[in-house]
Amino acid sequence: MTQNTSYWLRQTFTAVTAAIFISGCSSLPSMSDTSTASSSQGTEALQFDQLYGEGKFNARGVGPTRWLANGSGYTVLETAENGGQDLVRYHPETQQRTVLVEADNLRPSATEEPLNVADYSWSEDGKKLLIFTNTKRSWRTHTLGDYWVYNLSSKRLQKLGGKAEPSTLQFAKFDPQATRVAYVMKNNIYVEDLNSKKITQLTKDGNETIVNGTFDWVNEEEFFLRDGFRWSPDGRSIAYWQLDTEGTPLFTMINNTDSLYPTLKQFPYPKVGETNAAMRIGVMPANGGDTTWMKVPGDPRQNYLVRMQWAGNSSQLLIQQLTRSQAVNKAYLANARSGAVRELLQEVTESWAEYVDDLQFIDGGKSFTWLSERSGFRHIYVVQRDTGRLSTITRGNWDVIEVLQINEDDGWVYFIASPETPLERYLFRASLDGSGKLERLTPDQPGTHSYQLSADAKYAVHTYSDVDNMPVVDMISLPDHRRIRVIKDNQNAQDAFDQLKRGMFEFFQVEAQDGLKLDGFLMKPADFDASKKYPIVFYVYGEPWGQTVANSWGGERFLFHTYLTQQGYIVASVDNRGTRSPRGFEWRRSIYKNLGDITVRDQHDALQAMLKRWDFIDGDRVGIWGHSGGGSQTLNALFRYPEAYHVGMALAPVPDLTLYDTIYQERYSGLLPESADRYRETSAITHAANLQGDLLLVHGTGDDNVHFQGSERLVNELIKHGKQFDYFAYPNRTHGISEGKGTTQHLRTMMVEFLKENLPVSAP
């Protein structure tokens, strides 16, 4: 995801973050074939009312938090006595607390309640605050809302947008001088002067099909493109994307529940092989005027402009362009005044190339950082701006998972990696000079660690969790990793979890038929007896956007699996090849044009290996379940290996891969018509006639991502072949099947009852 991050506002933390203090740096521990977590000594049964109604086991996070670039600390929202939100600054070392903005100062009027702050950002000088509130969804994310500016000196609160309708502004950003704010409203870009309140409409052609400064459904979902404009560093210009969705087929959704008569919703959604929106990038004066369009070569409907940023100055842009097949990513330098472009480098594959989020200009703009898999693993490089020549920063048979920060002053790049096991996450830093110097900063504490670093990388908010421990948030110093203060410990929820009756949890590895090792986990019943036979339930995702086997807190799904073990089931999961595991280029690309084929073959191979290893698994009572891509893999397992899988629960699946969107599905399955045979072979619906076991098919009728249409087509195919199955449609629920009071508990209860009926704990 591309973010426009100012020098003052360096980092955002909205997820749970945590830390455990063990000072010093050490090498990573080796992972043996089987790693076992201790079983719980608790005695309590897990109740769904506690889990879903009371939230007894919920691990809480922290609100929107920002580091201040001047080193004075970080800011966080805290509940005030009047029920509003104070904006509080903490000094990272002393933890001195200072209220910068009181909730009472965020009242639009004396009689109104304080604003409910969904998010906020600082001006670069730290004297003004931009507040996002009253939010609602655009497509799948809350990017629409109202914006207010608070002046810390005058204590004045000012609403942006003039007489704009409520919740219609998007992506408001201060200019570098903090005298103006630009934003998108109804597909056009505006600039508002904070002193005069004058609003200048910069683009005037935005309508239902011309989209300025933001994106359509598919680009938001698959490329994480939402905020579609960038202020130039000098504040004189604005660069922006424009999309033309004319010709993209409209998908229609029906809502039968919210009014007396059904209502329809239509939006452009390009399915596999259909017409994409045309994309182009332009630069216009920030005070109004004509747009200069960048002359990026190629058909704008057959290429994607996936990333754009100012190239270390106010005269050039760096633009990344993917071909429609996504096999080639090209980086261009574009002249902001003339629109002329020059290609700098390419990433070329026989499958799909990755675009680069973590790109920063250094050395006075003479070079920039880059991520590439050209060595067979994802590593950090520096690219010379004039020649496109690459030099290596990190190297080895392991992946850089995420670049957190590039600190040119100190000569370090900070990133997340786990060279010795794909199940962990640790903080490293490498020298920017290419010397190969590498340091691990995370102590020898197996688990998953995440960080939000201060601007000078001397402090961080750190998250730690593992399979037995909920996330804990604390402030640490770097590079010694010394704990300064616990921010959030989730102790009450952890205590409740520790009281639960649980069996042994263990990680393991098995081999696929070609010898490739696959990671898995196994959860045993609390009263496990190795002399008995137990039914087993597999959880699967299996696609490139997820990793199910990791040493981290598993949240609601892990607690649901804990409940199943209390009922007497073994629960397991295996990451087949192609999943988002840091195991190199070949691991990830091996499933190209083979989703649903080789992915499920790995799952079946793992099952056979487990049956040989563990006599306590009953091979006649095998279940599998998954959501989204995991729902698709569940269907493929049932249909392709009907003798091995006896029960399946498929939630929101894609039974026919041609029904999904262009960007995701063409990336992994190829283009039509040349890949038509692979689409047929890898779609579960093709093999539906083979169903022998018991199937529960669940979908939300309001799913704008994986459309209900696919499950309806599968229903017709199963009926055609005389196959009986259970089918449940959640009215007007979206892809997560979570909206509405009681929905999640209802879904999980239905799943448990289906398992008990069709995969009984006691052998027949």
Side-chain angles (χ1 to χ4, degrees):
M1 182 187 304
T2 300
Q3 295 180 349
N4 236 12
T5 309
S6 71
Y7 292 105
W8 180 268
L9 165 57
R10 299 295 299 188
Q11 296 288 353
T12 304
F13 2 134
T14 56
V16 179
T17 46
I20 283 182
F21 162 60
I22 305 175
S23 62
C25 304
S26 60
S27 61
L28 280 163
S30 297
M31 179 182 172
S32 62
D33 183 62
T34 300
S35 173
T36 305
S38 300
S39 61
S40 168
Q41 300 302 312
T43 59
E44 293 187 6
L46 177 60
Q47 304 294 330
F48 275 5
D49 286 344
Q50 294 177 328
L51 177 57
Y52 299 112
E54 301 172 15
K56 185 176 181 179
F57 305 96
N58 290 355
R60 308 290 181 180
V62 295
T65 308
R66 302 289 186 272
W67 279 109
L68 303 177
N70 64 0
S72 64
Y74 63 95
T75 59
V76 63
L77 291 166
E78 294 183 351
T79 302
E81 293 183 0
N82 62 6
Q85 297 159 293
D86 291 334
L87 188 63
V88 179
R89 179 183 63 204
Y90 284 92
H91 188 278
E93 185 67 45
T94 67
Q95 292 302 298
Q96 179 182 355
R97 181 180 183 273
T98 305
V99 179
L100 297 182
V101 182
E102 295 182 358
D104 280 338
N105 292 331
L106 299 181
R107 296 179 185 272
S109 68
T111 59
E112 295 181 82
E113 294 296 317
L115 296 174
N116 182 19
V117 181
D119 206 353
Y120 66 90
S121 60
W122 291 99
S123 60
E124 290 194 12
D125 61 8
K127 295 180 180 180
K128 292 174 184 173
L129 186 69
L130 186 59
I131 298 168
F132 185 43
T133 186
N134 194 28
T135 71
K136 68 178 185 180
R137 282 176 34 157
S138 54
W139 302 118
R140 297 191 70 209
T141 56
H142 279 243
T143 64
L144 291 161
D146 298 329
Y147 283 92
W148 298 72
V149 172
Y150 180 75
N151 188 310
L152 271 70
S153 299
S154 66
K155 295 187 177 181
R156 178 169 166 259
L157 188 64
Q158 175 181 348
K159 188 176 183 180
L160 300 179
K163 297 181 180 179
E165 298 174 14
S167 301
T168 56
L169 272 60
Q170 297 176 285
F171 316 121
K173 293 187 284 290
F174 288 114
D175 71 352
Q177 297 76 33
T179 60
R180 297 166 295 170
V181 173
Y183 48 81
V184 175
M185 181 172 59
K186 295 183 177 180
N187 291 339
N188 279 309
I189 301 172
Y190 296 78
V191 169
E192 184 166 345
D193 186 280
L194 295 179
N195 291 324
S196 67
K197 299 185 180 180
K198 179 184 177 182
I199 299 174
T200 303
Q201 183 174 346
L202 299 186
T203 64
K204 298 185 171 105
D205 53 356
N207 54 40
E208 290 185 356
T209 59
I210 299 297
V211 181
N212 296 300
T214 184
F215 295 90
D216 59 353
W217 187 96
V218 69
N219 280 284
E220 177 185 293
E221 174 69 14
E222 305 300 1
F223 288 140
F224 307 102
L225 288 169
R226 292 154 192 172
D227 174 359
F229 72 92
R230 310 282 182 266
W231 279 103
S232 64
D234 61 11
R236 296 178 179 179
S237 304
I238 289 178
Y240 69 101
W241 276 268
Q242 183 186 82
L243 272 64
D244 181 358
T245 65
E246 183 72 34
T248 301
L250 298 178
F251 192 80
T252 302
M253 301 183 66
I254 186 168
N255 182 341
N256 281 310
T257 62
D258 290 352
S259 59
L260 185 61
Y261 291 90
T263 57
L264 301 179
K265 176 184 177 181
Q266 287 190 319
F267 56 97
Y269 186 108
K271 294 180 182 288
V272 169
E274 297 297 328
T275 302
N276 279 323
M279 305 177 74
R280 60 178 178 172
I281 289 172
V283 177
M284 60 185 170
N287 59 0
D290 295 333
T291 294
T292 300
W293 298 107
M294 302 301 102
K295 300 172 185 177
V296 181
D299 185 336
R301 293 189 187 272
Q302 298 301 322
N303 293 274
Y304 302 106
L305 303 179
V306 290
R307 291 296 180 265
M308 174 268 287
Q309 66 188 85
W310 290 94
N313 55 46
S314 295
S315 61
Q316 289 181 308
L317 299 174
L318 185 75
I319 298 172
Q320 296 179 58
Q321 180 199 52
L322 276 177
T323 57
R324 176 156 178 168
S325 70
Q326 301 179 55
V328 181
N329 183 29
K330 297 179 181 180
Y332 293 96
L333 271 179
N335 187 300
R337 290 188 175 182
S338 68
V341 301
R342 175 170 64 92
E343 183 180 324
L344 276 181
L345 76 159
Q346 294 186 14
E347 297 288 345
V348 182
T349 74
E350 294 182 357
S351 52
W352 69 90
E354 299 284 359
Y355 52 86
V356 181
D357 276 324
D358 310 300
L359 188 158
Q360 180 174 315
F361 278 84
I362 58 176
D363 192 22
K366 295 178 181 178
S367 56
F368 58 90
T369 58
W370 187 255
L371 277 175
S372 175
E373 296 176 300
R374 59 183 59 202
S375 71
F377 292 87
R378 185 184 296 116
H379 280 295
I380 304 169
Y381 297 80
V382 169
V383 180
Q384 298 301 312
R385 179 191 185 120
D386 291 337
T387 65
R389 178 178 171 270
L390 281 79
S391 56
T392 306
I393 300 301
T394 61
R395 52 181 65 87
N397 295 336
W398 50 273
D399 285 317
V400 170
I401 297 171
E402 179 187 8
V403 175
L404 298 182
Q405 186 167 303
I406 297 161
N407 195 316
E408 187 177 8
D409 291 340
D410 291 340
W412 295 103
V413 54
Y414 295 82
F415 60 91
I416 299 295
S418 186
E420 296 190 21
T421 168
L423 308 189
E424 317 282 354
R425 299 291 185 270
Y426 301 101
L427 176 64
F428 287 78
R429 68 178 182 179
S431 177
L432 276 173
D433 61 12
S435 64
K437 186 177 181 181
L438 182 70
E439 295 182 10
R440 172 175 151 169
L441 302 183
T442 303
D444 190 4
Q445 178 69 27
T448 295
H449 301 257
S450 63
Y451 299 80
Q452 299 288 348
L453 276 64
S454 62
D456 56 9
K458 292 182 179 179
Y459 302 97
V461 174
H462 162 229
T463 303
Y464 170 77
S465 75
D466 62 25
V467 295
D468 281 324
N469 292 285
M470 296 183 183
V472 178
V473 183
D474 69 2
M475 175 65 60
I476 62 169
S477 60
L478 290 174
D480 60 357
H481 214 280
R482 176 176 57 89
R483 171 185 276 182
I484 297 171
R485 178 176 85 97
V486 174
I487 299 172
K488 190 78 172 179
D489 60 12
N490 282 304
Q491 193 60 53
N492 291 338
Q494 182 70 49
D495 290 343
F497 173 71
D498 290 342
Q499 296 305 310
L500 294 178
K501 188 176 183 180
R502 293 185 290 134
M504 297 293 291
F505 179 105
E506 57 187 277
F507 292 114
F508 65 90
Q509 287 187 327
V510 290
E511 288 188 358
Q513 59 186 254
D514 59 0
L516 181 67
K517 289 187 176 181
L518 307 173
D519 293 307
F521 71 68
L522 193 76
M523 299 172 66
K524 295 177 181 177
D527 298 319
F528 177 74
D529 182 346
S531 67
K532 295 181 179 180
K533 290 277 192 179
Y534 291 89
I536 187 168
V537 178
F538 284 87
Y539 170 69
V540 63
Y541 181 71
E543 297 207 359
W545 279 95
Q547 179 183 358
T548 64
V549 183
N551 192 11
S552 62
W553 176 247
E556 181 273 333
R557 186 171 61 239
F558 175 67
L559 290 164
F560 172 64
H561 288 158
T562 300
Y563 180 88
L564 292 183
T565 64
Q566 289 188 350
Q567 309 310 303
Y569 293 97
I570 293 173
V571 176
S573 189
V574 174
D575 272 326
N576 51 256
R577 71 191 77 198
T579 54
R580 180 162 280 191
S581 185
R583 295 181 58 169
F585 178 90
E586 289 301 325
W587 166 273
R588 290 186 287 275
R589 298 312 194 282
S590 60
I591 53 83
Y592 182 57
K593 297 188 179 182
N594 282 303
L595 271 181
D597 184 349
I598 196 172
T599 52
V600 180
R601 190 190 76 186
D602 279 353
Q603 294 289 330
H604 181 257
D605 288 352
L607 170 60
Q608 300 311 306
M610 293 166 67
L611 291 173
K612 290 179 181 178
R613 181 182 300 184
W614 291 306
D615 292 337
F616 52 78
I617 299 176
D618 189 344
D620 293 325
R621 288 182 291 163
V622 178
I624 186 170
W625 83 275
H627 193 132
S628 189
S632 307
Q633 305 307 316
T634 295
L635 294 174
N636 272 300
L638 281 178
F639 300 164
R640 291 172 181 270
Y641 301 97
E643 76 291 344
Y645 295 95
H646 311 101
V647 172
M649 301 180 292
L651 281 54
V654 186
D656 182 344
L657 298 185
T658 63
L659 298 181
Y660 201 49
D661 71 66
T662 51
I663 294 176
Y664 183 95
Q665 208 61 63
E666 291 176 359
R667 177 190 300 150
Y668 304 123
S669 299
L671 301 179
L672 293 178
E674 57 264 33
S675 299
D677 289 345
R678 295 309 300 157
Y679 276 96
R680 281 191 295 271
E681 174 59 27
T682 55
S683 292
I685 198 170
T686 304
H687 309 279
N690 298 329
L691 176 64
Q692 295 179 21
D694 297 294
L695 168 64
L696 172 62
L697 177 63
V698 179
H699 216 126
T701 68
D703 192 338
D704 63 339
N705 181 9
V706 177
H707 301 145
F708 186 60
Q709 170 192 38
S711 285
E712 289 182 301
R713 286 195 180 186
L714 177 60
V715 166
N716 282 337
E717 188 70 11
L718 291 168
I719 292 171
K720 182 175 74 174
H721 294 289
K723 301 297 180 179
Q724 296 296 325
F725 58 98
D726 285 42
Y727 179 45
F728 197 95
Y730 279 93
N732 216 37
R733 269 61 167 196
T734 60
H735 190 53
I737 316 179
S738 60
E739 296 87 357
K741 184 178 180 180
T743 296
T744 302
Q745 183 169 346
H746 184 275
L747 172 61
R748 296 298 192 230
T749 301
M750 176 170 54
M751 294 169 67
V752 171
E753 292 177 353
F754 185 79
L755 285 174
K756 287 183 175 180
E757 179 180 352
N758 298 289
L759 198 74
V761 171
S762 299

